[in-house]
mmCIF file of all heavy atoms in Angstrom:
data_model
loop_
_atom_site.group_PDB
_atom_site.id
_atom_site.type_symbol
_atom_site.label_atom_id
_atom_site.label_comp_id
_atom_site.label_asym_id
_atom_site.label_seq_id
_atom_site.Cartn_x
_atom_site.Cartn_y
_atom_site.Cartn_z
ATOM 1 N N GLN A 238 131.983 101.779 121.220
ATOM 2 C CA GLN A 238 132.258 101.968 122.638
ATOM 3 C C GLN A 238 133.488 102.863 122.798
ATOM 4 O O GLN A 238 134.170 103.194 121.823
ATOM 5 C CB GLN A 238 132.498 100.609 123.297
ATOM 6 C CG GLN A 238 131.304 99.659 123.200
ATOM 7 C CD GLN A 238 131.615 98.312 123.803
ATOM 8 O OE1 GLN A 238 132.019 98.203 124.959
ATOM 9 N NE2 GLN A 238 131.417 97.250 123.004
ATOM 10 N N LYS A 239 133.792 103.223 124.055
ATOM 11 C CA LYS A 239 134.919 104.131 124.309
ATOM 12 C C LYS A 239 136.243 103.564 123.817
ATOM 13 O O LYS A 239 137.150 104.307 123.455
ATOM 14 C CB LYS A 239 135.010 104.435 125.812
ATOM 15 C CG LYS A 239 133.881 105.327 126.301
ATOM 16 C CD LYS A 239 134.028 105.620 127.786
ATOM 17 C CE LYS A 239 132.884 106.525 128.264
ATOM 18 N NZ LYS A 239 133.000 106.806 129.718
ATOM 19 N N ASN A 240 136.343 102.225 123.797
ATOM 20 C CA ASN A 240 137.594 101.593 123.350
ATOM 21 C C ASN A 240 137.593 101.278 121.854
ATOM 22 O O ASN A 240 138.475 100.588 121.356
ATOM 23 C CB ASN A 240 137.868 100.323 124.155
ATOM 24 C CG ASN A 240 136.765 99.287 123.985
ATOM 25 O OD1 ASN A 240 135.814 99.496 123.226
ATOM 26 N ND2 ASN A 240 136.879 98.175 124.694
ATOM 27 N N GLY A 241 136.572 101.773 121.130
ATOM 28 C CA GLY A 241 136.518 101.586 119.684
ATOM 29 C C GLY A 241 135.777 100.337 119.238
ATOM 30 O O GLY A 241 135.474 100.180 118.046
ATOM 31 N N LYS A 242 135.511 99.426 120.171
ATOM 32 C CA LYS A 242 134.809 98.190 119.807
ATOM 33 C C LYS A 242 133.338 98.472 119.529
ATOM 34 O O LYS A 242 132.767 99.441 120.041
ATOM 35 C CB LYS A 242 134.941 97.148 120.924
ATOM 36 C CG LYS A 242 136.359 96.611 121.087
ATOM 37 C CD LYS A 242 136.414 95.482 122.091
ATOM 38 C CE LYS A 242 137.845 94.993 122.284
ATOM 39 N NZ LYS A 242 138.438 94.432 121.067
ATOM 40 N N LEU A 243 132.723 97.617 118.737
ATOM 41 C CA LEU A 243 131.311 97.798 118.367
ATOM 42 C C LEU A 243 130.384 97.659 119.566
ATOM 43 O O LEU A 243 130.660 96.889 120.499
ATOM 44 C CB LEU A 243 130.914 96.757 117.319
ATOM 45 C CG LEU A 243 131.389 97.008 115.889
ATOM 46 C CD1 LEU A 243 131.235 95.750 115.053
ATOM 47 C CD2 LEU A 243 130.617 98.169 115.251
ATOM 48 N N HIS A 244 129.271 98.401 119.512
ATOM 49 C CA HIS A 244 128.190 98.179 120.469
ATOM 50 C C HIS A 244 127.502 96.858 120.135
ATOM 51 O O HIS A 244 127.575 96.384 118.995
ATOM 52 C CB HIS A 244 127.140 99.297 120.365
ATOM 53 C CG HIS A 244 127.634 100.630 120.830
ATOM 54 N ND1 HIS A 244 127.937 100.900 122.136
ATOM 55 C CD2 HIS A 244 127.853 101.792 120.139
ATOM 56 C CE1 HIS A 244 128.323 102.156 122.249
ATOM 57 N NE2 HIS A 244 128.286 102.727 121.060
ATOM 58 N N SER A 245 126.808 96.276 121.103
ATOM 59 C CA SER A 245 125.997 95.091 120.806
ATOM 60 C C SER A 245 124.826 95.499 119.933
ATOM 61 O O SER A 245 124.445 96.679 119.894
ATOM 62 C CB SER A 245 125.472 94.462 122.106
ATOM 63 O OG SER A 245 124.464 95.294 122.667
ATOM 64 N N LEU A 246 124.223 94.534 119.233
ATOM 65 C CA LEU A 246 123.100 94.836 118.346
ATOM 66 C C LEU A 246 121.872 95.318 119.113
ATOM 67 O O LEU A 246 121.001 95.982 118.556
ATOM 68 C CB LEU A 246 122.739 93.591 117.528
ATOM 69 C CG LEU A 246 123.678 93.257 116.361
ATOM 70 C CD1 LEU A 246 123.237 91.974 115.677
ATOM 71 C CD2 LEU A 246 123.735 94.391 115.340
ATOM 72 N N SER A 247 121.794 94.990 120.390
ATOM 73 C CA SER A 247 120.605 95.374 121.172
ATOM 74 C C SER A 247 120.791 96.711 121.892
ATOM 75 O O SER A 247 119.828 97.266 122.438
ATOM 76 C CB SER A 247 120.284 94.288 122.203
ATOM 77 O OG SER A 247 121.374 94.128 123.098
ATOM 78 N N ALA A 248 121.998 97.253 121.895
ATOM 79 C CA ALA A 248 122.295 98.430 122.721
ATOM 80 C C ALA A 248 121.464 99.663 122.349
ATOM 81 O O ALA A 248 120.937 100.349 123.229
ATOM 82 C CB ALA A 248 123.783 98.758 122.626
ATOM 83 N N LEU A 249 121.330 99.953 121.063
ATOM 84 C CA LEU A 249 120.599 101.153 120.647
ATOM 85 C C LEU A 249 119.115 101.047 120.975
ATOM 86 O O LEU A 249 118.513 102.006 121.476
ATOM 87 C CB LEU A 249 120.805 101.399 119.144
ATOM 88 C CG LEU A 249 120.093 102.605 118.523
ATOM 89 C CD1 LEU A 249 120.286 103.872 119.332
ATOM 90 C CD2 LEU A 249 120.566 102.827 117.084
#
Side-chain angles (χ1 to χ4, degrees):
Q238 300 177 55
K239 289 181 180 179
N240 61 3
K242 291 186 182 297
L243 283 166
H244 292 292
S245 72
L246 284 178
S247 61
L249 179 48

